[in-house]
Amino acid sequence: HELRTPLTLLLGPVRTLLHENRLTEKQTRLLRLAQRSGDQLNQLVTDILDLGKLELGKLEPDARPTQLAAFFRHHFAQFESLAESRGLAYAFEVDVPEPVTANLDQAKCRQILNNLLANAFKFTPAGGRIAARLTLAEGCLHLVVADTGPGIHPDDLPRLFDRYFQTTRPDKPAEGGTGIGLALCREYAQLLGGRIGVE
């Protein structure tokens, strides 16, 4: 609450001002930037709290019936405008029959997908390609995200999903980030009975 309450008190007025729609174009742009940054900070707080719950064994899956193709197609599509703005070729494929429904923890699956795609976009330079594919085989969902970025040094691969890991390669400039996103992907995948890997 020490973190969430001030965030709520910041974001509430920002949303109210945006909703009233009486602002100049510059004011709207600045408030949207503040809202996006506040939402990112709120998500980071949630991630950190989830890590604590995972450590204590208190985080449970929240599965609910979900139409798989529609759910994943919607979240893949949300990255199309980002790809266009960054000059990247982005393609996604959902190879799951439309009517298939499964019990899915939507929040955790969405976060896994968002973290993997956000990393692909972060590390792929303009002119590159990002591809995402979802398939269903033998009762298991398979999500693959691939990009044409510079890749990951072989020394870093075994530690990529460790909490707070940042590359120590001397030839790689600091990229920022917390080292939480991929760790959460692995822990959510395990919580949901799956696994995650990298090549």
Side-chain angles (χ1 to χ4, degrees), residues 14-40:
V14 168
R15 289 193 177 102
T16 300
L17 287 169
L18 285 169
H19 184 69
E20 287 177 356
N21 205 19
R22 296 178 190 162
L23 305 166
T24 66
E25 189 177 327
K26 180 181 180 182
Q27 289 169 331
T28 300
R29 190 175 68 251
L30 291 171
L31 281 173
R32 284 202 175 124
L33 176 63
Q35 183 183 28
R36 273 197 308 273
S37 298
D39 287 340
Q40 287 173 343

Side-chain angles (χ1 to χ4, degrees), residues 12-110:
V14 168
R15 289 193 177 102
T16 300
L17 287 169
L18 285 169
H19 184 69
E20 287 177 356
N21 205 19
R22 296 178 190 162
L23 305 166
T24 66
E25 189 177 327
K26 180 181 180 182
Q27 289 169 331
T28 300
R29 190 175 68 251
L30 291 171
L31 281 173
R32 284 202 175 124
L33 176 63
Q35 183 183 28
R36 273 197 308 273
S37 298
D39 287 340
Q40 287 173 343
L41 189 55
N42 205 18
Q43 185 59 59
L44 184 57
V45 170
T46 300
D47 291 350
I48 292 167
L49 292 174
D50 277 0
L51 282 176
K53 289 178 188 173
L54 282 162
E55 282 177 352
L56 297 171
K58 291 185 175 178
L59 195 65
E60 295 288 332
D62 178 23
R64 57 191 68 188
T66 304
Q67 202 166 11
L68 297 177
F71 175 81
F72 282 97
R73 193 174 289 117
H74 170 74
H75 291 292
F76 281 141
Q78 290 185 332
F79 283 82
E80 288 178 319
S81 59
L82 180 60
E84 191 176 336
S85 70
R86 295 200 180 171
L88 296 167
Y90 170 55
F92 63 86
E93 179 184 357
V94 178
D95 189 12
V96 177
E98 287 294 336
V100 172
T101 299
N103 284 329
L104 198 74
D105 187 318
Q106 295 181 7
K108 292 177 183 61
C109 287
R110 178 172 57 246

Side-chain angles (χ1 to χ4, degrees), residues 99-153:
V100 172
T101 299
N103 284 329
L104 198 74
D105 187 318
Q106 295 181 7
K108 292 177 183 61
C109 287
R110 178 172 57 246
Q111 206 163 347
I112 290 170
L113 183 148
N114 284 349
N115 276 330
L116 295 179
L117 280 173
N119 271 5
F121 276 87
K122 181 178 178 180
F123 293 106
T124 304
R129 295 187 313 280
I130 295 167
R133 185 164 190 251
L134 186 83
T135 56
L136 179 63
E138 298 177 5
C140 286
L141 280 173
H142 300 265
L143 169 64
V144 177
V145 175
D147 64 63
T148 59
I152 299 161
H153 193 278

